[in-house]
């Protein structure tokens, strides 16, 4: 369903919601969660704690991804405050390593060994290179990202923080919070920043 339709239907539902209907919604939600927990089987490192929501996910899930403007601001500020930067303060790493990471979708599944390498799988949602055989379109194309924006310290900081925790800038973003959840380390995120911002990177050719 288009996003604005979801928003409109959520508004209509809340307009006519009686306490009775709310109780029904809560009961339906509890039933759905029960079914999900019953039907999802933990395997290897993919354990059921992955179904747990943190506060920002909970609020997004309960508002059809449309929290109030004040809540959105508050949630984003909290997420931004959780971003950890590399100890040496350098935000541009090696674009070649970044490219390998961006094009790897391995890691974190039950068939991957725990503690094994985790890729960024950026290609699953973004165009992020000139020679990709396939890429997803859930996120905007990142081709020419650095060419368009330059690589000033502000852009480096934004790009690093966006990859570390996308919800710091868009509370209900569908983009995974790579640094926040520990999928990628700061040393790896700086390589992705270089992939996007280094003038020598294929992204900017
Ligand atoms: C599951 C899909 C998904 C994956 C995987 C994903 N992204 Fe995103 N990304 C998005 C979406 C959707 C947006 C736009 C909404 C937003 O800003 O959060 C976005 C936005 C961005 C932006 C901001 C673009 C701008 O114009 O400001 C950057 C930078 C970015 N992604 C980088 C990455 C990198 C690097 C990776 C891999 C480590 C990655 N993304 C993986 C979905 C994804």
């Amino acid at each position: 369903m288009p996003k604005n339709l979801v928003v409109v239907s959520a508004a209509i539902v809340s307009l006519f919601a009686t306490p009775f209907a709310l109780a029904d919604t809560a009961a339906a939600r509890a039933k759905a969660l029960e079914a999900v927990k019953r039907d999802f089987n933990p395997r290897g490192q993919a354990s059921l704690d992955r179904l747990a929501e943190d506060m920002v996910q909970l609020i997004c899930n309960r508002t059809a991804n449309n929290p109030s403007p004040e809540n959105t601001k508050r949630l984003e500020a909290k997420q931004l405050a959780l971003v950890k930067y590399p100890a040496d303060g350098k935000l541009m790493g090696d674009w070649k390593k970044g490219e390998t990471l961006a094009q790897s979708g391995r890691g974190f599944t039950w068939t991957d060994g725990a503690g094994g390498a985790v890729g960024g799988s950026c290609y699953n949602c973004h165009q992020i290179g000139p020679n990709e055989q396939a890429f997803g379109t859930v996120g905007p194309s990142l081709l020419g990202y650095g060419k368009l924006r330059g690589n000033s310290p502000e852009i480096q900081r934004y790009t690093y923080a966006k990859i570390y925790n996308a919800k710091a800038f868009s509370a209900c973003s569908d983009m995974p919070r790579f640094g926040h959840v520990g999928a990628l380390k700061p040393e790896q995120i700086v390589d992705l920043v270089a992939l996007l911002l280094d003038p020598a990177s294929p992204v900017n050719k």
Side-chain angles (χ1 to χ4, degrees):
M1 199 190 291
K3 199 166 173 197
N4 50 357
L5 260 187
V6 174
V7 172
V8 170
S9 48
I12 293 172
V13 168
S14 64
L15 206 64
F16 293 104
T18 63
F20 187 68
L22 285 178
D24 264 8
T25 310
R29 183 177 298 132
K31 250 191 167 169
L33 283 177
E34 208 177 279
V36 167
K37 285 203 174 129
R38 188 188 59 222
D39 294 344
F40 273 55
N41 298 311
R43 259 196 190 174
Q45 63 177 334
S47 54
L48 289 188
D49 57 358
R50 293 190 180 182
L51 298 177
E53 303 160 305
D54 70 3
M55 188 52 76
V56 63
Q57 289 169 323
L58 190 141
I59 292 175
C60 290
N61 289 340
R62 300 295 179 278
T63 58
N65 286 342
N66 190 30
S68 69
E70 310 84 73
N71 269 345
T72 302
K73 255 197 191 155
R74 226 158 27 90
L75 290 169
E76 288 171 0
K78 275 199 173 161
Q79 296 292 304
L80 187 60
L82 294 171
V83 174
K84 294 196 180 74
Y85 295 87
D88 65 5
K90 287 206 185 101
L91 299 183
M92 289 262 271
D94 177 343
W95 67 260
K96 286 191 181 133
K97 287 190 194 161
E99 188 174 41
T100 305
L101 268 177
Q103 299 297 337
S104 163
R106 295 306 318 182
F108 266 14
T109 72
W110 65 267
T111 51
D112 295 306
V118 179
S121 64
C122 316
Y123 73 95
N124 265 322
C125 296
H126 296 284
Q127 178 177 29
I128 192 169
N131 301 316
E132 293 170 300
Q133 290 186 342
F135 52 82
T137 54
V138 172
S141 170
L142 299 173
L143 206 55
Y145 181 92
K147 231 192 204 166
L148 280 170
R149 298 164 189 246
N151 56 13
S152 66
E154 292 73 33
I155 291 295
Q156 290 182 31
R157 212 170 156 79
Y158 160 71
T159 305
Y160 178 93
K162 180 73 191 176
I163 301 169
Y164 191 101
N165 187 342
K167 290 181 184 294
F169 304 95
S170 173
C172 300
S173 175
D174 286 332
M175 178 164 148
R177 292 175 288 174
F178 293 99
H180 184 76
V181 301
L184 298 178
K185 298 184 186 67
E187 311 84 273
Q188 296 177 297
I189 295 178
V190 298
D191 292 336
L192 288 162
V193 172
L195 176 67
L196 290 175
L197 295 181
D198 192 324
S201 155
V203 165
N204 299 315
K205 286 288 167 203

